């Protein structure tokens, strides 16, 4: 295995860990490879220019993450991911509502059997899964795809996930087929009013990549998922619809600058409540229109001496059929500095600063500009080998 | 200057300075060595630190320490191509040509990069040395050659033999071997499918050294034994006979194995030394027809045009090859250089001159180019590593369901309606 294949393998493994362990949003750019630990702190704040139009004047989130991966055997490693966050929503009138607490902690194992890669993850139902109605409103906005938030949800009843991936290589082309299942436990979002269980998701993925040479790579891929209906009080209450994600990326290095170009398209099907008479509706649960999301990312990393300077430019757009359309530009700058700690191995600090600006058109013709900023700091430790 | 313009100018200057900032050189300054030692002792995977520290040892003429440092690092981090490459160079400079060849082959088979090209050049540079070392191993059954082509089309051609005790004819025979072998290899690469980068024609040095190991047995028996040891389906044995002061005769014997049954074909080409020197294609074409022309799917090649050699140039080529085979690359380089002066367009001479210079580079011209290339590799791979990991951090994280937000239609703008009491901070809640 070449060094680059090793690197790319680590990256894929991290993708699986993030996706399976409930860690859908990576904090910062650095990967977690085998024998690594990572501590990250992220803070973001958004301000809406026309609070009356969108129903809120500000939204802020602070998230912390600790991930540790330990090799057990050559073919097996295990790890844990612990994350917590605090979101604050400022209403149109200036009042604030806070939702905070743990995300369901995750333990995971990843193994390689022949060419097959398997990841298993278990999320413990210890996250902050309940709150008042207002706190649930605050927690719900974390799922809004337009904002590049570091967390998408808090506790959701724990559960398990498993993914199997089969990478094949022929004539310099890498093809990877993958399939996964995610299942959740019950949780009580509104105290003991009712329990709720997210539907089991089955996902199939395909990735095709080609390393053009040591300095450049192209890759396309995606996945499609079907999800069982969500259940409450032993009845189906919401069918979230099918979801598809497609992406393409090209990465290349020119002298001391590396460039990443990436495009993502994500489609979330319409959500539906069961037809009348088939089950007892859950008050507040409604059919939801389909939603599309797209993003284009340009990332550069330039070596200044031995220190990399990274820039990040991303354009994001969301459209919810018949309801809203919004766009946001994100500009970030960061670096990675080696730091000295009295432990074996190497440690790096990656600070990053971001600014965001965009515009949102919501239902009934209301419109509001949105601006924001964010800072993050990641400390990454690699064991000496 | 307006403030905005001043800021813009400052930004441009910063970017320009950043673009021009040099990377630390391969060989560290004396004041850096202590820091590098501490850095490497903390992490063996710090390839840049290991390579620069080894370069410091090399510069101090402590080559043993430099080689050991790389050997140790390569043992701990076997996936680091730069280590493997430098370990190969260390082994080469200490005379372990087979070990060096193993390292270079590992690099050369990787994703194309300056390092793989460097490894391929070093394999060429030590070809003669490794052939002599590999031959007894092959004959003793210690290893086998693996070909990407069907073995039946693989050709082995030891050096042409010179009849009689005539040093000039022996040098001419060696030069003829080199030129015909070169033509045959290029033609086979063009004319045979299968993708073998060598076209299925084995190094003549390897065939020759193996022939020498086979022992004194008759022509056909010897050719059959050679075919077995080299896993070759076709063997060419040529000889050169001086018929008169000007005329020479090439005797060509070809052994083919057709469905397991040996088939022998013989032919003769008569020419003059001067005519052969000016246009060796007359022999190359005949050899092609005998060994590869009858193979199904083969395409008659466009042989490289004659490159204007002279008898004197061929003598320099032959004598240089004799010296190289004796392990005397420095005088060989001088002989090839003289030949290039006599026949500047002759590709065989210029290739051999380059090969001799490359061979001598490791032992004479220090390992600076090697180390610089390896360090550059480490640095560039590191940036690609950082880059490749970015798509994880920057991939839009939309995969997770925010279950309640989705089902209650709250995961969007314009849906934030509060039903509980909101704590007022600067006004009343909605």
């Amino acid at each position: 295995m070449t060094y680059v294949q090793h690197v790319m393998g680590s990256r894929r493994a991290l993708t699986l860990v993030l996706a399976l362990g409930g860690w859908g949003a990576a904090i910062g750019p650095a990967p977690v490879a085998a024998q690594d630990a990572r501590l990250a702190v992220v803070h973001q704040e958004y301000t809406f220019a026309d609070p009356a139009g969108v129903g809120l004047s500000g939204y802020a989130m602070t998230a912390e993450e600790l991930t540790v991966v330990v090799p057990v055997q050559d073919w097996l490693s295990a790890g844990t991911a612990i994350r917590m966050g605090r979101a604050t929503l400022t209403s149109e009138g200036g009042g604030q509502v806070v939702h905070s607490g743990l995300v369901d902690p995750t333990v995971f194992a990843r193994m390689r059997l022949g060419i097959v890669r398997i990841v298993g993850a278990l999320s413990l139902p210890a996250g902050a899964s309940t709150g008042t109605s207002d706190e649930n409103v605050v927690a719900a906005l974390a799922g809004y795809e337009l904002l590049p938030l570091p967390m998408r949800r808090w506790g959701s009843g724990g559960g398990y996930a498993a993914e199997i991936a089969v990478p094949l290589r022929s004539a310099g082309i890498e093809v990877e087929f993958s399939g996964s299942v995610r299942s959740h436990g019950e949780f009580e979002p509104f105290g003991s009013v009712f329990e709720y269980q997210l539907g089991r998701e089955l996902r199939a993925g395909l990735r095709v990549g080609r390393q053009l040479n040591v300095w450049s790579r192209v890759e396309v891929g995606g996945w499609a998922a079907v999800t069982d209906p969500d259940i409450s009080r032993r009845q189906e209450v919401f069918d979230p619809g099918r979801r598809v994600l497609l992406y393409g990326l090209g990465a290349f290095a020119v002298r001391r600058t590396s460039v990443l170009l990436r495009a993502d398209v994500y489609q979330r099907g319409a959500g539906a409540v069961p037809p009348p008479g088939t089950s007892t509706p859950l008050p507040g649960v409604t059919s939801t229109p389909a939603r599309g999301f797209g993003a284009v990312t340009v990332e550069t990393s330039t070596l200044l001496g031995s220190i990399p300077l990274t820039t990040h430019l991303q354009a994001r757009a969301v459209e919810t059929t018949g309801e809203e359309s919004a766009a946001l530009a994100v500009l970030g700058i960061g670096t990675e500095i080696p730091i000295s700690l009295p432990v074996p191995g190497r440690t790096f600090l990656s600070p990053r600063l971001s600014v965001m600006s965009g515009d949102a058109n919501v239902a009934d013709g209301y419109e509001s500009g949105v601006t924001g900023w964010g800072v993050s700091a990641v400390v990454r430790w690699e064991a000496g080998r | 200057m307006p403030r905005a313009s001043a800021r813009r100018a400052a930004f441009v200057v910063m970017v320009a300075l950043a673009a021009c900032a040099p990377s630390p050189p391969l060989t560290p300054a004396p004041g850096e060595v202590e820091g590098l030692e501490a850095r490497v002792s903390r992490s063996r995977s710090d390839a840049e630190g290991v390579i620069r520290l080894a370069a410091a040892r090399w510069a101090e003429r402590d080559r043993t320490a430099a080689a050991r440092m790389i050997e140790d690092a390569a043992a701990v981090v076997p996936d680091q191509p730069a280590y493997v490459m430098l370990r190969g160079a260390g082994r080469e400079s200490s005379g372990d040509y087979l070990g060096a060849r193993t390292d270079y082959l590992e690099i050369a088979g990787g994703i194309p990069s300056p390092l793989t090209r460097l490894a391929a050049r070093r394999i060429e540079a030590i070809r003669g040395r490794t052939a002599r070392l590999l031959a007894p191993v092959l004959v003793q059954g210690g290893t086998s050659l693996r070909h990407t082509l069907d073995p039946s089309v693989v050709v082995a051609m030891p050096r042409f033999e010179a009849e009689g005790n005539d040093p000039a004819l022996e040098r001419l025979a060696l030069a003829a071997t080199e030129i015909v072998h070169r033509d045959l290899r290029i033609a086979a690469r063009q004319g045979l499918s299968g993708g073998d980068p060598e076209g299925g024609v084995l190094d003549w040095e390897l065939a020759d050294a193996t022939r020498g190991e086979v022992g004194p047995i008759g022509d056909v028996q010897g050719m059959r034994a050679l075919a077995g040891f080299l896993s070759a389906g076709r063997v060419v044995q040529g000889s050169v006979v001086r018929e008169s002061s000007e005329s020479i005769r090439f005797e060509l014997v070809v052994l083919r194995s057709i469905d397991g049954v040996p088939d022998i074909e013989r032919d003769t080409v008569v020419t003059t030394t001067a005519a052969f020197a000016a246009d060796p294609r007359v022999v190359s074409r005949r050899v092609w027809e005998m060994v590869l022309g009858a193979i199904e799917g083969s395409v008659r090649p466009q042989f490289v045009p004659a490159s204007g050699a002279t008898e004197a140039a061929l003598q320099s080529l032959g004598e240089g090859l004799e010296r190289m085979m004796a392990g005397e690359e420095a005088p060989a380089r001088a002989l090839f250089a003289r030949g290039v002066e006599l026949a500047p367009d002759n590709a065989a001479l210029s290739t051999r001159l380059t090969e001799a210079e490359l061979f001598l580079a490791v032992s004479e011209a220090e390992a600076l180019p090697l180390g610089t290339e390896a360090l550059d590799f480490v640095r560039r791979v590191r940036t690609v590593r950082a880059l490749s990991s970015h798509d994880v951090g920057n991939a839009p994280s939309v995969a997770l369901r925010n279950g309640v937000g989705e089902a209650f239609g709250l995961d969007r703008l314009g849906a934030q309606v509060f039903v509980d009491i909101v704590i007022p901070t600067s006004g009343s809640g909605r």
Side-chain angles (χ1 to χ4, degrees):
Chain A
M1 186 169 69
T2 68
Y3 185 66
V4 170
Q5 285 169 329
H6 166 74
V7 168
M8 299 306 286
S10 300
R11 183 181 57 76
R12 282 196 297 274
L14 174 66
T15 308
L16 292 177
V17 168
L18 291 171
L20 289 170
W23 293 75
I27 302 179
V32 175
Q35 300 168 292
D36 279 7
R38 166 186 159 94
L39 175 66
V41 179
V42 182
H43 178 78
Q44 289 182 10
E45 285 193 19
Y46 297 90
T47 303
F48 297 90
D50 184 3
V54 294
L56 74 164
S57 65
Y59 192 73
M61 181 182 282
T62 303
E64 298 91 28
E65 169 202 340
L66 174 65
T67 306
V68 178
V69 183
V70 179
V72 179
Q73 298 285 336
D74 287 345
W75 54 275
L76 174 68
S77 63
T80 185
I82 299 170
R83 193 179 219 185
M84 63 182 73
R86 172 189 171 94
T88 304
L89 189 150
T90 305
S91 73
E92 180 186 345
Q96 291 190 326
V97 183
V98 175
H99 183 81
S100 65
L102 277 175
V103 180
D104 292 334
T106 302
V107 292
F108 56 84
R110 107 184 145 218
M111 61 200 82
R112 190 202 310 254
L113 302 176
I115 64 165
V116 179
R117 295 197 194 95
I118 300 172
V119 178
L122 184 66
S123 289
L124 310 175
S129 58
T130 191
T132 64
S133 298
D134 290 350
E135 287 168 352
N136 272 292
V137 168
V138 177
L141 196 58
Y144 185 43
E145 293 92 340
L146 180 71
L147 308 179
L149 296 166
M151 277 174 46
R152 291 299 178 195
R153 67 184 182 199
W154 279 259
S156 50
Y160 69 87
E163 179 149 12
I164 183 167
V166 181
L168 304 170
R169 187 184 177 96
S170 177
I173 296 177
E174 304 156 25
V175 180
E176 184 174 275
F177 300 94
S178 61
S180 66
V181 58
R182 292 162 178 77
S183 184
H184 298 82
E186 287 184 346
F187 62 105
E188 295 178 332
F190 296 90
S192 56
V193 178
F194 60 84
E195 79 286 355
Y196 199 87
Q197 183 175 18
L198 297 172
R200 183 180 57 193
E201 177 192 288
L202 297 174
R203 189 185 289 187
L206 174 65
R207 187 184 66 79
V208 180
R210 181 172 174 80
Q211 191 82 31
L212 303 177
N213 52 48
V214 171
W215 326 119
S216 57
R217 175 181 177 78
V218 291
E219 184 176 313
V220 294
W223 52 260
V226 293
T227 310
D228 293 339
D230 296 348
I231 292 173
S232 180
R233 296 171 298 181
R234 299 183 181 178
Q235 296 193 65
E236 296 179 356
V237 293
F238 181 73
D239 182 348
R242 295 177 179 177
R243 293 177 298 147
V244 176
L245 182 141
L246 300 172
Y247 74 90
L249 68 87
F252 57 91
V254 181
R255 296 180 66 80
R256 291 156 59 210
T257 297
S258 305
V259 181
L260 169 75
L261 306 173
R262 179 179 172 118
D264 292 79
V265 177
Y266 171 65
Q267 177 70 30
R268 195 171 98 183
V273 295
T278 57
S279 72
T280 306
L282 188 64
V285 173
T286 61
S287 295
T288 55
R291 184 183 291 182
F293 169 84
V296 177
T297 307
V298 180
E299 179 96 11
T300 68
S301 175
T302 302
L303 276 175
L304 305 181
S306 59
I307 302 295
L309 173 72
T310 60
T311 63
H312 168 82
L313 180 63
Q314 189 174 69
R316 306 165 70 95
V318 166
E319 180 162 14
T320 307
T321 307
E323 286 195 356
E324 65 156 337
S325 62
L328 187 76
V330 183
L331 175 63
I333 187 167
T335 186
E336 184 178 71
I337 307 162
I339 56 177
S340 196
L341 292 180
V343 291
R346 295 191 298 167
T347 310
F348 300 91
L349 169 66
S350 303
R352 181 158 151 175
L353 175 67
S354 303
V355 292
M356 303 85 164
S357 179
D359 191 66
N361 292 281
V362 298
D364 305 325
Y366 285 110
E367 181 181 356
S368 174
V370 53
T371 55
W373 61 273
V375 291
S376 67
V378 179
V379 176
R380 182 170 57 85
W381 171 77
E382 293 176 357
R385 282 166 286 178
Chain B
M1 183 186 285
R3 184 175 297 175
S5 299
R7 278 202 299 267
R8 200 159 46 237
F11 176 74
V12 169
V13 170
M14 279 175 58
V15 170
L17 286 174
C20 298
S23 295
L26 171 66
T27 309
E32 284 184 274
V33 172
E34 194 175 333
L36 276 174
E37 285 171 343
R39 187 170 141 185
V40 169
S41 68
R42 280 200 302 271
S43 174
R44 293 277 184 84
S45 60
D46 182 354
E48 178 166 345
V50 169
I51 292 170
R52 295 190 70 211
L53 196 55
R57 300 284 182 262
W58 189 276
E60 294 162 2
R61 299 280 166 190
D62 192 352
R63 298 183 177 188
T64 307
R68 191 170 57 237
M69 188 172 293
I70 294 294
E71 287 268 1
D72 291 349
V76 176
V77 190
D79 284 344
Q80 174 55 268
Y83 287 167
V84 178
M85 185 72 205
L86 290 175
R87 184 178 62 190
R91 289 174 172 176
E92 184 188 335
S93 65
S94 67
D96 178 8
Y97 296 106
L98 286 184
R101 180 176 179 269
T102 303
D103 286 340
Y104 295 150
L105 282 172
E106 185 180 335
I107 300 298
I111 298 165
S113 74
L115 208 62
T116 60
R117 289 191 285 277
L118 189 59
R121 287 209 305 270
R122 296 247 45 94
I123 291 169
E124 283 294 303
I126 60 172
R127 193 176 56 174
R129 299 279 186 136
T130 52
R132 289 193 293 280
L133 294 165
L134 201 55
V137 180
L138 286 172
V139 173
Q140 289 159 19
T143 186
S144 62
L145 290 180
R146 288 192 297 272
H147 310 300
T148 55
L149 284 173
D150 177 354
S152 69
V153 302
V154 172
V155 179
M157 189 180 86
R159 80 170 109 172
F160 290 3
E161 292 172 345
E163 194 166 281
N165 187 17
D166 180 351
L169 192 62
E170 286 178 3
R171 288 195 284 272
L172 179 66
L174 260 183
T177 306
E178 174 75 4
I179 290 172
V180 171
H181 178 269
R182 178 185 166 81
D183 282 350
L184 198 61
R185 178 172 279 192
I186 293 172
R189 198 156 51 208
Q190 294 170 349
L192 285 180
S193 61
D196 191 309
E198 303 303 335
V201 181
L202 302 176
D203 288 338
W204 71 257
E205 291 100 323
L206 178 63
D208 195 61
T210 309
R211 181 84 162 91
E213 292 288 326
V214 168
I217 51 179
D219 273 354
V220 175
Q221 279 177 292
M223 289 168 73
R224 289 178 66 175
L226 187 67
F229 291 127
L230 295 174
S231 302
R234 286 151 202 266
V235 177
V236 182
Q237 180 62 70
S239 56
V240 189
V241 182
R242 193 181 294 282
E243 289 199 318
S244 67
S245 59
E246 293 183 353
S247 177
I248 53 172
R249 186 177 75 244
F250 286 90
E251 300 278 356
L252 303 171
V253 183
V254 172
L255 170 76
R256 289 184 296 248
S257 177
I258 301 171
D259 297 330
V261 179
D263 170 54
I264 294 285
E265 184 181 352
R266 298 173 190 273
D267 202 353
T268 303
V269 176
V270 180
T271 181
T272 66
T273 311
F276 174 74
D279 187 0
R281 288 178 295 180
V282 62
V283 180
S284 301
R285 277 201 199 96
R286 189 66 201 115
V287 172
W288 164 266
E289 287 163 3
M290 293 171 77
V291 297
L292 295 172
I295 293 174
E296 188 179 351
S298 68
V299 179
R300 187 178 175 81
Q302 297 295 316
F303 283 104
V304 181
S307 47
T310 62
E311 286 183 60
L314 288 191
Q315 287 295 318
S316 288
L317 176 60
E319 192 176 351
L321 290 169
E322 282 178 345
R323 293 301 185 97
M324 277 194 90
M325 292 175 76
E328 300 168 5
E329 280 80 5
R333 176 174 58 177
L335 284 159
F336 295 141
R338 184 174 150 222
V340 168
E341 283 177 11
L342 295 169
D345 297 330
N346 188 280
L349 272 163
S350 55
T351 302
R352 283 296 185 177
L353 175 60
T354 304
E355 185 183 321
E357 287 174 341
L358 279 173
F359 178 87
L360 294 166
V362 162
S363 51
E364 282 185 10
E366 307 287 349
L368 194 63
L370 274 170
T372 303
E373 198 69 65
L375 187 60
D376 184 57
F377 182 90
V378 166
R379 285 173 177 157
R380 295 179 72 174
V381 167
R382 187 176 59 191
T383 62
V384 172
R385 177 186 184 186
L387 174 76
S388 302
S389 64
H390 283 183
D391 66 322
V392 175
N394 295 305
S397 55
V398 291
L400 280 186
R401 286 188 62 203
N402 182 305
V404 171
E406 195 175 320
F408 286 76
L410 296 171
D411 58 343
R412 61 186 175 85
L413 294 177
Q416 283 67 41
V417 178
F418 296 105
V419 295
D420 291 341
I421 298 171
V422 175
I423 303 165
T425 56
S426 59
S428 61
R430 177 170 168 165

